[in-house]
Amino acid sequence: MPQSLPQDRKGFGARRDVAGAGRSRAAAKAWLGRVSKAFLTVFALAAAGCSTRSDLGFMTLMSEVPATQAIIVPPPGGPAVVAVLQRRYQNGVSQEIALSTASMTLGQNAFYVSMVNDPETLSEIDDTLRIRPLTPEIIQAEMEERFPGIDMRTSLLYAQNKYGPFGFATGRSATGDLCLYAWQQIEPSEPAIFMTHGAISLRLRLCDADATEAQLLRTMYAFTIPAYFMSSAWNPYGAPPPPPAYLGQMNAPINPLAIGATEGLLGSRPRSLAPARRVIVQESVEPARAIVDKDTVLPEPAQPDVPSAPLSGYPVVPPPPPAQ
């Protein structure tokens, strides 16, 4: 067996030292990798624990928006908008517009409105807004939910505002407040062929301690819808109506100052209407006495006191001579 030379043994030892040093460096690198991974894991867990303690989540899809973003604006003079809760959908938005309440009836006065841009939108998740047709069963269920314990009577009178016809019901609560529930659906009267034009569905829940039925209905007649979708197909109101057929024709006078029209169009000074004097006389047991309405009768001017006897220190005026 050949023996290795001294220089061969020296080269073999050098190669063995190099291999050992390489294994040492690889082991140190692997150890550093395990330490760094463990440190990153601990840091991530600590950061996750801190974020869990500081962040707060809510299981709700509703969010509050400013009152200036309300879909429906009540008429001037009230009721005022208190808060607006909004939920966005893939094809529209819904809002609950809370109104100021001046009654003892349980519940909050509010507008409930839904605006749909495309009613035919399909989605794999429950993120689409649907407007159901108005039926007596749906309206009755809504009134039972929003007016518990109040007998609401649906009016048979035809009512229509600037957006179209609407229905309403009234009832008296146990506290004596008058309540109104109105419903309206705004959509084109003509069916769309190539594209949809959207739709608006709204409800009004309103109770007041001192208002009359006409005053409550004023909110339905005078509200405004300033919101719209930025789409060329959005038009739930339909085409604008044509001008009257008699406009500009012969034998069709139009008097802007007629009864029922707004006075002051030509700069005329409005007339002051003084309240008429009214006396209410009611029969009683004593024919000489009469009951007078003090709120509507102007008080009589006070008469000066005339002394029945002559004052002392003044000359006495003789009476006139008797007639011949």
Side-chain angles (χ1 to χ4, degrees):
M1 180 176 181
Q3 294 181 356
S4 58
L5 297 176
Q7 58 270 19
D8 295 337
R9 294 193 188 99
K10 185 176 180 180
F12 176 77
R15 288 193 299 271
R16 185 176 61 184
D17 293 341
V18 170
R23 285 194 299 271
S24 299
R25 286 194 297 270
K29 187 176 182 180
W31 181 81
L32 289 175
R34 289 194 297 270
V35 170
S36 60
K37 286 182 179 180
F39 178 78
L40 291 177
T41 303
V42 172
F43 180 80
L45 291 176
C50 295
S51 62
T52 304
R53 288 192 299 268
S54 61
D55 295 340
L56 183 64
F58 296 91
M59 298 297 295
T60 179
L61 300 176
M62 302 289 290
S63 60
E64 186 174 359
V65 298
T68 55
Q69 297 183 12
I71 296 177
I72 294 181
V73 177
V81 176
V82 177
V84 180
L85 298 179
Q86 177 176 283
R87 178 181 176 183
R88 289 191 173 273
Y89 294 84
Q90 185 177 354
N91 63 332
V93 62
S94 66
Q95 285 186 355
E96 179 180 344
I97 306 171
L99 305 175
S100 59
T101 304
S103 68
M104 299 297 294
T105 305
L106 180 64
Q108 173 68 48
N109 292 342
F111 270 111
Y112 303 90
V113 57
S114 298
M115 289 183 61
V116 176
N117 188 20
D118 186 5
E120 305 299 329
T121 301
L122 300 178
S123 177
E124 297 180 356
I125 59 177
D126 187 15
D127 193 27
T128 56
L129 184 60
R130 302 295 181 188
I131 294 182
R132 298 180 295 176
L134 293 177
T135 61
E137 293 77 14
I138 292 178
I139 298 300
Q140 184 64 31
E142 292 177 357
M143 288 192 296
E144 291 178 356
E145 178 183 358
R146 292 166 182 170
F147 298 95
I150 302 178
D151 184 17
M152 301 295 294
R153 304 293 181 90
T154 302
S155 176
L156 300 180
L157 300 177
Y158 181 82
Q160 178 174 323
N161 57 16
K162 59 186 175 182
Y163 296 105
F166 67 90
F168 67 94
T170 56
R172 185 76 63 175
S173 66
T175 58
D177 301 337
L178 183 62
C179 294
L180 170 73
Y181 191 69
W183 54 90
Q184 187 173 17
Q185 199 150 302
I186 306 171
E187 55 188 352
S189 57
E190 299 179 357
I193 300 177
F194 299 103
M195 62 182 63
T196 58
H197 299 294
I200 302 175
S201 179
L202 64 95
R203 309 285 191 270
L204 172 62
R205 190 263 188 205
L206 194 60
C207 290
D208 198 283
D210 301 321
T212 62
E213 182 177 338
Q215 291 172 342
L216 294 181
L217 280 173
R218 175 181 174 271
T219 305
M220 276 298 295
Y221 280 108
F223 71 83
T224 306
I225 303 178
Y228 59 92
F229 285 107
M230 299 293 293
S231 173
S232 59
W234 168 255
N235 185 18
Y237 313 108
Y246 58 83
L247 188 64
Q249 301 297 324
M250 296 292 293
N251 197 22
I254 299 177
N255 185 3
L257 299 181
I259 298 177
T262 303
E263 295 187 1
L265 297 179
L266 301 180
S268 60
R269 185 174 60 184
R271 296 174 299 173
S272 60
L273 300 178
R277 217 176 149 186
R278 182 169 57 94
V279 178
I280 300 176
V281 179
Q282 194 175 38
E283 295 182 0
S284 61
V285 179
E286 300 178 6
R289 298 181 58 187
I291 299 176
V292 182
D293 189 356
K294 298 180 180 179
D295 297 332
T296 57
V297 177
L298 297 177
E300 296 293 336
Q303 299 294 335
D305 296 333
V306 179
S308 57
L311 300 177
S312 61
Y314 291 91
V316 179
V317 179
Q324 298 297 330

